[in-house]
Amino acid sequence: MIKLIHITDPHLVAPGEILHGLDPHARLVACIGDVLAHHADAACAVITGDLAHRGEAPAYAALRAQVDRLPFPCFPLLGNHDLRAPYAAAFPDAPDDGGGFVQGRLDVGDASLLMLDTLDEGRNGGLYCERRRAWLERQLEQTSQRAVYLFMHHPPFDIGIPCLDRIGLSDPEAFARLTAGRPNLRHLFFGHVHRPVCGSWRGIPFSTMRGLNHQVPFDLHTVSPVPKSHEPPAYAVVFLEADQVTVHFHDYLDRSTLPERAGKAMP
Ligand SMILES: [Fe+2]
């Protein structure tokens, strides 16, 4: 079994700054601390984008410092709030597909993790252009006999929440043509939506969860602007096995416990 950590949308600003009434740096520090305390045996972690809220250099530096606390590889991917140049300055060793995009592959046991770059800098919607698709096609061909897991910021489909669907991935059909007919595609992990969603898309199971800072409420009507909420942050602990994928969403700041577990009598 392979254990991996999925984190998304930390939306970091400079340490000490507040965003939407919350402290994103403190939440990231607490998240990494929780992972270290309980999941230091993970094989790797992937952060599916919106690393910084406005692409600030101090935010990427702060992220780097936290990622470096982990005893296993961690792959911070790009989201629509990110900027390539300050990201690259903080993460010169980031995955590189040879074409300037933050895309890479990690083989762990029988699994191949493919990390994708959907950033269209300056736009909230995502893009998976022809050059990126060519890289992915090569990777999918090379891993056709392996269990493959995809990681990306923008989901390549609508989820029924209008404020998010309007800033989705451009040309999702081009992406869908690449992934069609590949039964070894085991799961798709993404970010961007700031709330727990799971299901399957054209036969591929998918999951995402709340980000580390602010969330998007369950609102099936608002189109713009994107509403925000203070629902609790989460990260996911994922178990990959030959015949099963299990995703545990963990509200890591929730310390509530039943009285009997705290050694007290039930009321
Ligand atoms: Fe986000």
Side-chain angles (χ1 to χ4, degrees):
M1 184 193 73
I2 298 165
K3 178 195 276 190
L4 65 87
I5 306 298
H6 181 199
I7 297 170
T8 198
D9 292 78
H11 282 259
L12 290 172
V13 289
E17 282 186 20
I18 298 300
L19 176 67
H20 300 311
L22 303 167
D23 183 338
H25 183 252
R27 286 178 159 217
L28 174 66
V29 171
C31 173
I32 298 299
D34 200 83
V35 171
L36 284 170
H38 302 289
H39 307 293
D41 59 338
C44 69
V46 183
I47 309 177
T48 47
D50 282 358
L51 309 172
H53 187 61
R54 304 179 198 89
E56 305 95 319
Y60 293 116
L63 178 63
R64 179 78 210 213
Q66 292 306 310
V67 161
D68 284 349
R69 295 171 62 199
L70 295 170
F72 44 75
C74 179
F75 299 92
L77 308 182
L78 295 173
N80 51 291
H81 281 261
D82 291 304
L83 294 175
R84 294 184 186 280
Y87 166 83
F91 295 96
D93 49 353
D96 182 349
D97 68 359
F101 297 106
V102 179
Q103 304 201 106
R105 168 179 158 193
L106 177 69
D107 290 341
V108 187
D110 294 332
S112 288
L113 314 186
L114 298 182
M115 276 132 334
L116 313 185
D117 179 339
T118 60
L119 171 60
D120 187 14
E121 198 165 287
R123 286 187 62 247
N124 282 324
L127 181 67
Y128 206 66
C129 62
E130 195 173 339
R131 286 169 62 189
R132 282 173 266 197
R133 291 199 302 270
W135 177 87
L136 177 56
E137 186 167 24
R138 285 196 301 277
Q139 297 302 320
L140 291 173
E141 292 302 320
Q142 291 169 12
T143 56
S144 61
Q145 302 303 310
R146 301 172 61 83
V148 173
Y149 303 86
L150 300 178
F151 294 82
M152 59 204 296
H153 183 69
H154 296 81
F157 44 79
D158 288 347
I159 59 165
I161 295 183
C163 67
L164 295 166
D165 291 342
R166 73 177 172 80
I167 55 172
L169 191 72
S170 300
D171 198 3
E173 283 305 318
F175 187 88
R177 283 194 291 275
L178 269 184
T179 54
R182 299 186 187 274
N184 61 315
L185 275 179
R186 301 281 307 281
H187 201 92
L188 192 164
F189 299 88
F190 58 89
H192 194 49
V193 307
H194 292 241
R195 47 179 315 99
V197 185
C198 59
S200 65
W201 169 67
R202 301 188 185 192
I204 304 172
F206 65 76
S207 62
T208 185
M209 70 268 160
R210 293 187 296 269
L212 293 196
N213 197 60
H214 53 285
Q215 316 304 343
V216 174
F218 185 55
D219 178 340
L220 299 178
H221 306 288
T222 303
V223 174
S224 182
V226 177
K228 309 292 191 302
S229 80
H230 281 188
E231 292 163 80
Y235 69 84
V237 178
V238 181
F239 300 136
L240 307 181
E241 299 173 82
D243 60 353
Q244 185 171 337
V245 177
T246 309
V247 182
H248 294 276
F249 300 122
H250 179 36
D251 295 352
Y252 64 96
L253 292 186
D254 186 345
R255 306 285 185 209
S256 62
T257 185
L258 290 173
E260 68 269 25
R261 287 201 65 192
K264 300 172 186 168
M266 287 286 280

